[in-house]
């Protein structure tokens, strides 16, 4: 142990190993898990742990920004998008080039080892300035950042505006669907809906049966058959409609036998 | 603590400010101008801006300043590269403005958001919609490139790299024909580009760990004062180089090149191939010479390997290509290797030769892609080399112009490419890299084979029913093509004025 390492106190060491370990686990989970939602949650775990490490390393501003912007805003938006778009786990994982995955794994591990050993050995020999000294130079962490951002790096800071504008315009170009027909008016829409004998009024609500209360359970019609109309379209398209057990139907019929309908 | 507002040299930054502000105005035009006048307004805005910025660069070219803290260096080489980028962007912009070659509009999808092959897309095509957002993208990309060649700081360089790349990723995915190929190219370019950016960032972090700074001056100072303990430095340099090698398309970071060159709209391919090479080599040289000049012996070997691999892999794989755009993509990989020979030299002579090479290569490349955009059959551009058989008999002028470009790329005398190659190889020999130059000469001979093969095919094969026809373009492409061809020949016959300008520019300031 050199002098640089011994400056750490016990609490800091514990925080490092716990959060560092969790961050690595989250990163591994992100690439290993097959469901996009799980990956997103894993990366949120990694980010939160990194934020704690930043705070522990006397960079409270960076830690907070990491939580608010990345974990809070970006990852949660990402999750919303995943849930709304409904990406399922059936992404193709077939290797198109034979042996590609193995070669990639091998090279990745090789690079990882090289970097770990290289950086590890370098860190044991290099001295450090100390976090307090670095922060105090500009009168505090946030002040120091502000100094850099609005003085030395003001051009770089302005240039990021170009990046954001490009990203926003690019997203619009790739995703915004323009109409080439005039928008339909309310009467036209309603007329279109009923002309082909569409369902007037509300659709029946999903079945309840006093035990299931899920939207994927179809409602029962008076004759005991189920009404698929009561299940939302996307579920029907995905074949996610719950089967109705005939035994349940009989049971309910028994229970309601005496009741006048 | 009191804040002292930064002193910026606005005169020196003026060309970049003009391009940046114009890009934002261009976005506002998209937002507020009626569709019928957008294209006209954008064309006026873009070309006024680029020409105006070029004039400012020429007026500024005597300045040698560090500004924005230490993060921007505007010196002789920076002005030359900014000027070159602007001229090439004007020529590339002219290609992008061409509306008379494709019967259904310009080279871009009428609406990039419409599903390929959908009714929406058909309707937008029939109605003559144009995706005029390409113009703000062009301006932003040019802004990024101008900043990239002037970056004197790793953070500045990273932001410039992204400002330059992001619009290009988008432009690559907007081809009117073969939409799926184009979208695949854009996605590949974006994902691999993001990976390479991550490497660059990682490298920057390690360099900060080594030297305590990300500005080139202090890094270079740290290298002279901290002898011995440079593991972090070497890993950092390697990581930074991965990011930059990706942008110049050097082996083994070249995998995106053929797909992107093939999938992107041809005018964008031409613009990108020419300007990004200039920008990325400019940044690479500034990084290596200014920041890491002190450990030249350590990175030299890396550049040797990458240069040799690029020259050989690019030249050999290009021979087996059947698509002309893919062939030019592999050719650009080989050319990156040739230019690296000049970079390895790490001398004022090497710097000057690389600058000249980049200028000559840029004009030739834009011209070559201009020709490709004109050679068409019923389904769009005839990019299959087989369809070019006998073109010399059907359209002698275009075939002749294309031959000039191929000869220049092959480095045959009386073209700009020859002077460029000569300069780079001479600088290599002068720096003691004779073996590298020998490999480069062998690779040039291999490369000449596939360039000349196209010429032979155009002139010595008989036209078949499949032979493509040459479309007569409007003034936009004609000007660009004429400029490319004239400059390619002029640089080969009277290179002295340009060589003088480069010689007067001197070297990078610190």
């Amino acid at each position: 142990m050199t002098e640089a390492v011994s400056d750490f106190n016990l609490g800091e060491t514990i925080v490092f190993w716990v959060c560092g370990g969790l961050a690595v686990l989250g990163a591994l989970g992100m690439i290993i898990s097959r469901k996009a939602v799980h990956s997103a949650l894993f990366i949120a775990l990694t980010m939160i742990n990194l934020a704690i490490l930043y705070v522990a390393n006397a960079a409270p501003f960076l830690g907070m920004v990491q939580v608010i912007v990345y974990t809070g805003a970006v990852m949660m938006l990402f999750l919303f998008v995943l849930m709304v778009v409904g990406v399922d786990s059936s992404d193709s994982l077939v290797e198109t080039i034979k042996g590609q995955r193995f070669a990639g794994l091998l090279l990745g591990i090789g690079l990882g080892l090289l970097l770990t050993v290289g950086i590890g050995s370098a860190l044991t020999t290099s001295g450090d300035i100390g976090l307090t000294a670095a922060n105090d130079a500009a009168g505090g962490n946030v002040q120091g950042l502000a100094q850099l951002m609005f003085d030395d790096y003001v051009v770089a800071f302005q240039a990021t505006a170009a990046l954001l504008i490009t990203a926003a315009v690019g997203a619009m170009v790739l995703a915004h669907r323009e109409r080439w027909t005039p928008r339909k008016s309310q009467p036209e829409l309603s007329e279109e809906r009923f002309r082909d004998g569409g369902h007037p009024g509300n659709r029946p609500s999903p079945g309840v049966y006093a035990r299931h209360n899920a939207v994927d359970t179809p409602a029962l019609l008076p004759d005991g058959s189920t009404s698929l109309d009561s299940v939302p379209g996307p579920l029907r398209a995905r074949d996610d409609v719950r089967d109705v057990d005939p035994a349940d139907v009989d049971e309910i019929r028994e229970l309601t036998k005496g009741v006048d309908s | 603590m009191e804040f002292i507002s930064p002193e910026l040299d606005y005169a020196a930054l003026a060309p970049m400010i003009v391009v940046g502000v114009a890009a934002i105005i261009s976005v506002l035009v998209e937002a507020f101008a009626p569709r019928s006048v957008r294209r006209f307004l954008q064309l006026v805005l873009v070309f006024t801006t680029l020409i105006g910025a070029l004039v400012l660069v020429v007026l500024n070219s005597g300045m040698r300043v560090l500004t924005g803290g230490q993060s921007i260096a505007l010196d002789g080489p920076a002005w030359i590269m900014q000027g070159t980028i602007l001229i090439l962007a004007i020529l590339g912009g002219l290609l992008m403005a061409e509306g008379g070659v494709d019967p259904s509009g310009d080279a871009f999808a009428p609406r990039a958001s419409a599903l390929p092959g959908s009714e929406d897309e058909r309707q937008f095509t029939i109605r003559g919609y144009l995706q005029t957002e390409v113009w703000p993208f062009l301006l932003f990309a040019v802004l990024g490139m101008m900043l990239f060649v002037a970056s004197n700081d790793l953070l500045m360089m990273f932001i410039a790299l992204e400002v330059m790349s992001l619009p290009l990723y988008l432009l690559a995915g907007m081809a009117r024909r073969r939409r799926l190929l184009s979208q695949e190219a854009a996605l590949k370019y974006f994902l691999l580009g993001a990976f390479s950016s991550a490497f660059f960032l990682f490298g920057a972090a390690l360099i900060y760990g080594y030297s305590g700074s990300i500005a080139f001056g202090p890094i270079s100072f740290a290298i002279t004062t901290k002898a011995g303990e440079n593991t972090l430095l070497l890993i950092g340099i390697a990581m930074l180089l991965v990011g930059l090698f990706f942008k110049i398309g050097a082996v083994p970071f070249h995998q995106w090149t053929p797909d992107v060159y093939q999938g992107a709209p041809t005018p964008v391919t031409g613009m990108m191939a020419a300007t990004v090479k200039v920008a990325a080599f400019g940044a690479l040289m500034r990084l290596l010479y200014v920041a890491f000049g002190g450990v030249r012996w350590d990175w030299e070997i890396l550049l040797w390997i990458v240069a040799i691999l690029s020259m050989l892999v690019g030249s050999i794989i290009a021979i087996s290509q059947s698509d002309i755009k893919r062939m030019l993509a592999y050719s650009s990989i080989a050319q990156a290797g040739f230019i690296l020979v000049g970079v390895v030299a790490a001398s004022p002579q090497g710097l000057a030769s690389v600058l000249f090479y980049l200028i000559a290569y840029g004009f030739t490349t834009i011209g070559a892609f201009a020709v490709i955009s004109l050679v068409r059959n019923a389904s769009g551009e005839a990019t299959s080399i087989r369809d070019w058989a006998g073109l010399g008999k059907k359209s002698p002028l275009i075939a002749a112009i294309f031959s000039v470009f191929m000869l220049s790329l092959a480095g045959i005398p009386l073209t700009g490419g020859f002077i460029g190659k000569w300069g780079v190889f001479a600088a290599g020999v002068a720096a003691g890299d004779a073996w590298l130059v020998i490999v480069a000469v062998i690779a040039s001979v291999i490369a000449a084979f596939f360039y000349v093969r196209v010429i032979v095919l155009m002139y010595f094969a008989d036209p078949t029913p499949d032979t493509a026809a040459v479309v007569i373009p409007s003034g936009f492409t004609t000007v660009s093509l004429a400029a490319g061809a004239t400059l390619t020949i002029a640089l080969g016959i009277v290179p002295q004025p340009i060589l003088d300008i480069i010689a007067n520019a001197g070297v990078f300031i610190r």
Side-chain angles (χ1 to χ4, degrees):
Chain A
M1 280 246 170
T2 57
E3 219 172 53
V5 180
S6 62
D7 282 348
F8 287 93
N9 59 34
L10 182 67
E12 215 170 324
T13 314
I14 294 174
V15 168
F16 172 76
W17 285 109
V18 171
C19 291
L22 283 174
V24 172
L25 279 183
L28 284 176
M30 186 232 150
I31 42 174
I32 291 172
S33 56
R34 298 224 153 171
K35 290 201 166 165
V37 175
H38 292 178
S39 283
L41 289 174
F42 272 122
I43 202 168
L45 174 74
T46 300
M47 284 177 169
I48 289 176
N49 280 295
L50 288 181
I52 298 172
L53 286 178
Y54 293 153
V55 175
N57 275 310
F61 183 77
L62 186 58
M64 286 302 128
V65 168
Q66 168 92 3
V67 172
I68 295 168
V69 177
Y70 285 98
T71 323
V74 176
M75 279 323 296
M76 291 310 122
L77 270 181
F78 196 74
L79 267 183
F80 286 157
V81 170
L82 280 182
M83 287 170 173
V84 171
V85 176
V87 178
D88 55 14
S89 58
S90 64
D91 290 336
S92 167
L93 293 169
V94 181
E95 274 187 316
T96 43
I97 302 173
K98 212 169 172 347
Q100 188 187 26
R101 201 174 298 165
F102 179 72
L105 197 68
L106 206 68
L107 290 174
I109 291 175
L111 179 69
L113 278 179
L114 190 73
L115 288 177
T116 317
V117 172
I119 297 173
S121 79
L123 287 183
T124 51
T125 56
S126 71
D128 53 20
I129 298 171
L131 297 167
T132 340
N135 272 338
D136 286 349
N141 179 255
V142 180
Q143 288 87 337
L145 272 179
Q147 180 76 31
L148 283 176
M149 238 194 283
F150 295 108
D151 188 354
D152 287 353
Y153 290 102
V154 69
V155 181
F157 187 63
Q158 300 289 336
T160 50
L163 214 51
L164 292 178
I165 297 173
T166 312
V169 177
M172 291 290 285
V173 166
L174 292 183
H176 176 63
R177 301 276 300 275
E178 225 168 310
R179 315 180 59 88
W180 44 271
T181 49
R183 186 182 286 276
K184 282 184 179 142
S185 65
Q186 191 73 32
E188 278 171 330
L189 278 173
S190 116
E191 201 174 304
E192 195 173 82
R193 195 160 142 214
F194 290 111
R195 180 170 294 142
D196 314 326
H199 196 295
N202 295 344
R203 294 182 183 284
S205 47
V208 175
Y209 311 137
R211 61 183 73 193
H212 306 298
N213 190 8
V215 285
D216 60 352
T217 317
L220 279 184
L221 294 175
D223 60 352
S225 65
T226 56
S227 162
L228 279 182
D229 270 350
S230 63
V231 180
L235 292 182
R236 262 182 283 149
R238 268 197 260 161
D239 251 355
D240 262 352
V241 180
R242 192 187 288 269
D243 286 330
V244 175
D245 189 354
D248 285 352
V249 179
D250 290 339
E251 195 182 332
I252 290 165
R253 193 172 288 148
E254 283 303 314
L255 285 171
T256 55
K257 209 162 215 173
V259 185
D260 270 353
S261 47
Chain B
M1 176 172 170
E2 203 186 339
F3 180 72
I4 305 147
S5 51
E7 278 181 29
L8 293 177
D9 191 335
Y10 286 105
L13 292 173
M16 287 188 273
I17 294 175
V18 165
V19 175
V21 170
I24 293 169
I25 295 175
S26 172
V27 173
L28 293 177
V29 168
E30 284 304 315
F32 295 113
R35 186 178 299 131
S36 53
V37 295
R38 264 184 226 164
R39 178 179 146 87
F40 174 74
L41 286 181
Q42 294 286 18
L43 289 183
V44 172
L45 178 68
V46 166
F47 289 108
T48 324
T49 306
L50 293 178
I51 292 170
L54 182 62
V55 171
L56 286 172
V57 165
V58 173
L59 291 178
N60 277 349
S61 56
M63 285 190 192
R64 306 281 183 269
V65 292
L66 281 179
T67 186
Q70 302 258 307
S71 65
I72 296 178
L74 290 157
D75 46 18
W79 293 125
I80 289 196
M81 285 183 282
Q82 289 198 342
T84 311
I85 287 168
L86 284 167
I87 297 174
L88 292 172
I90 292 171
L91 298 186
L94 287 170
L95 293 185
M96 284 166 65
E98 175 66 53
V101 170
D102 197 308
S104 51
D106 57 12
F108 301 97
R111 279 294 174 267
S113 56
L115 279 178
S118 66
E119 177 64 16
D120 270 3
E121 187 181 54
R122 212 174 64 83
Q123 291 292 342
F124 288 134
T125 310
I126 292 171
R127 279 151 217 260
Y129 277 42
L130 294 176
Q131 189 90 59
T132 38
E133 277 87 352
V134 296
W135 298 109
F137 290 158
L138 172 66
L139 287 178
F140 277 124
V142 170
L143 172 68
M145 292 174 204
M146 292 173 73
L147 209 51
F148 202 36
V149 295
S151 304
N152 198 38
D153 181 290
L154 290 175
L155 180 68
M156 192 73 236
M157 192 172 258
F158 176 70
I159 292 173
L161 174 75
E162 292 300 307
V163 173
M164 164 180 100
S165 307
L166 211 54
L168 293 178
Y169 301 147
L170 288 159
L171 285 173
M174 291 166 71
R176 179 177 288 269
R177 307 292 182 125
R178 301 209 264 178
R179 293 279 304 130
L180 286 178
L181 205 64
S182 176
Q183 290 181 345
E184 185 190 330
L187 192 65
K188 241 177 215 171
Y189 195 14
F190 172 63
L191 287 178
L192 292 175
F195 274 127
S196 78
S197 295
F199 274 101
F200 188 93
L201 263 189
F202 195 19
L206 293 179
I207 295 294
Y208 180 74
Y210 166 78
S211 67
S213 175
I214 47 172
F216 288 1
I219 293 174
S220 150
F221 179 72
I223 289 173
T224 54
T225 50
K226 293 172 78 169
E229 40 180 272
N230 50 10
T231 321
L232 272 186
L233 173 71
L234 295 183
I235 302 179
I237 294 180
M239 296 271 149
L240 290 173
L241 286 182
V242 169
L244 291 175
F245 283 152
F246 176 85
K247 281 294 156 204
I248 64 177
V251 179
F253 311 104
H254 65 288
Q255 305 287 1
W256 59 276
T257 321
D259 289 337
V260 174
Y261 274 43
Q262 186 187 21
T266 305
V268 172
T269 313
M271 189 271 291
M272 185 172 80
T275 53
V276 171
K277 273 273 193 300
V278 179
F281 269 105
L284 178 71
M285 286 192 295
R286 191 184 293 281
L287 181 72
L288 288 178
Y289 297 172
V290 177
F292 301 131
V295 281
R296 187 189 147 194
W297 305 112
D298 290 312
W299 51 254
E300 222 176 36
I301 180 73
L302 208 67
L303 259 69
W304 261 70
I305 298 170
V306 172
I308 291 175
L309 279 176
S310 303
M311 291 186 287
L312 292 179
V313 171
S315 305
I316 291 170
I317 299 188
I319 294 176
S320 64
Q321 297 304 311
S322 60
D323 183 291
I324 193 117
K325 282 168 94 177
R326 286 185 86 84
M327 189 199 89
L328 282 182
Y330 281 105
S331 131
S332 89
I333 295 168
Q335 302 283 344
F338 296 136
I339 305 174
L340 278 175
V341 174
V343 178
V344 178
S347 59
Q349 191 194 354
L351 171 64
S353 69
V354 169
L355 289 178
F356 187 89
Y357 200 121
L358 289 170
I359 294 171
Y361 175 76
F363 290 125
T364 305
T365 306
I366 286 210
F369 281 101
V371 172
I372 292 175
S373 73
L374 299 181
V375 179
R376 306 179 77 92
N377 56 27
S379 63
E381 284 157 9
T383 53
S384 168
I385 296 182
R386 236 177 302 123
D387 296 349
W388 289 51
L391 201 70
K393 286 168 188 136
K394 276 177 89 173
S395 318
L397 180 64
I398 285 293
I401 292 175
F402 197 69
S403 307
V404 169
F405 295 138
M406 290 295 108
L407 292 175
S408 176
L409 287 173
I412 307 292
L414 296 183
T415 59
F418 170 72
I419 310 282
K421 269 213 178 83
W422 178 265
V424 167
F425 292 172
V429 171
D433 298 326
W435 281 107
L436 187 60
V437 174
I438 291 174
V439 176
V441 170
I442 295 172
S444 305
V445 174
I446 302 173
F449 172 76
F450 61 81
Y451 293 126
V452 173
R453 193 184 59 171
V454 178
I455 301 178
V456 170
L457 188 73
M458 286 194 302
Y459 282 102
F460 298 101
D462 287 323
T464 63
D466 287 339
T467 299
V470 171
V471 180
I472 305 298
S474 70
F476 292 119
T477 304
T478 313
V479 170
S480 188
L481 188 54
T486 315
L487 286 163
T488 299
I489 297 173
L491 287 174
I493 298 173
V494 277
Q496 206 52 44
I498 300 287
L499 289 174
D500 287 343
I501 293 176
I502 293 174
N504 287 334
V507 292
F508 294 117
I509 56 169
R510 282 148 196 280

